[in-house]
Amino acid sequence: LLGGSVGRLWWGAWLYICAVIAAAAAVTALGPFSGIDWGKVATLGLLLIVCESTATVLRSRSLTWSATSIASLAAVILTGPVGGALVGCCTLLGVRRGPSVPQRLCNTAMMALSAYLSGRAFLLCGGHPGTPQPSSFPGIIGPFVVADVVHVVVNFALLGGVLWLTREPGSSGRVDLHLKLGITDLGYGAFGLLTAALWQVLGPFAPILVL
């Protein structure tokens, strides 16, 4: 996620950010919304807001990290691609200080697109949205791993585009930092599957236990 200042934006950066926001708005608004469990979306959206509001500022000062992938990947399993995108949109409601309005909008769009595309990958690999049952395992693990990887790759690819367009002269070390964060995100994403699996027993209290 974008954190503090990322430098003065030029028209190319604005065009890129607007394109990302437009794509996220399109896939979210087009639905379909039939069959979405809005209670799950609201609960996981609240979990994402908590994670986003407690993000850690990294040493570059232009980036932050938070465990928002837990909520968005749990939403992908429980509610599907569109539900995951809707939960990703809750990034906009984070209460932490620092990001400007364009950064908040860009962060929100990146999360929504990452969740939506990971949800599509989950479906393509044979995953079925809904509360996992004992019989869902181990079959659900493969589609979830693909969804987790897609979520990380899309998110970091979009973020990399922003950082490249807003890079400061002489900046370095971001590639190694992104690799470490990507591995971290893959690991934390597994808690999304845990959250979904516990939903059958704990219902809306599952995110609280995982958090």
Side-chain angles (χ1 to χ4, degrees):
L1 297 174
L2 299 176
S5 173
V6 292
R8 182 173 298 177
L9 298 180
W10 62 295
W11 69 267
W14 279 113
L15 183 62
Y16 178 87
I17 290 174
C18 289
V20 172
I21 293 173
V27 299
T28 305
L30 290 176
F33 301 103
S34 58
I36 291 181
D37 189 324
W38 294 101
K40 292 176 180 176
V41 169
T43 302
L44 293 171
L46 182 59
L47 173 63
L48 187 141
I49 292 172
V50 171
C51 293
E52 161 63 11
S53 300
T54 56
T56 300
V57 179
L58 304 180
R59 66 173 180 265
S60 67
R61 308 299 298 177
S62 64
L63 292 174
T64 62
W65 181 87
S66 64
T68 49
S69 58
I70 296 176
S72 56
L73 283 168
V76 163
I77 296 175
L78 293 168
T79 65
V82 177
L86 290 170
V87 170
C89 288
C90 293
T91 305
L92 186 64
L93 303 178
V95 297
R96 66 185 176 91
R97 297 180 180 180
S100 63
V101 172
Q103 288 171 336
R104 285 183 180 273
L105 290 173
C106 189
N107 286 337
T108 300
M110 290 190 295
M111 284 299 301
L113 279 176
S114 299
Y116 178 81
L117 292 176
S118 68
R120 300 302 302 177
F122 181 72
L123 295 180
L124 288 173
C125 292
H128 302 283
T131 304
Q133 306 296 319
S135 59
S136 301
F137 293 88
I140 195 176
I141 295 177
F144 175 78
V145 169
V146 174
D148 192 4
V149 172
V150 169
H151 191 285
V152 171
V153 170
V154 171
N155 190 32
F156 278 76
L158 293 172
L159 178 60
V162 176
L163 294 179
W164 186 80
L165 290 169
T166 59
R167 67 192 185 283
E168 299 174 358
S171 60
S172 61
R174 284 177 172 173
V175 174
D176 292 338
L177 184 61
H178 291 176
L179 179 60
K180 294 177 182 178
L181 289 178
I183 295 173
T184 300
D185 261 4
L186 284 173
Y188 269 87
F191 285 99
L193 178 58
L194 177 61
T195 302
L198 289 174
W199 205 281
Q200 182 186 18
V201 178
L202 299 175
F205 293 101
I208 299 176
L209 177 62
V210 173
L211 183 63

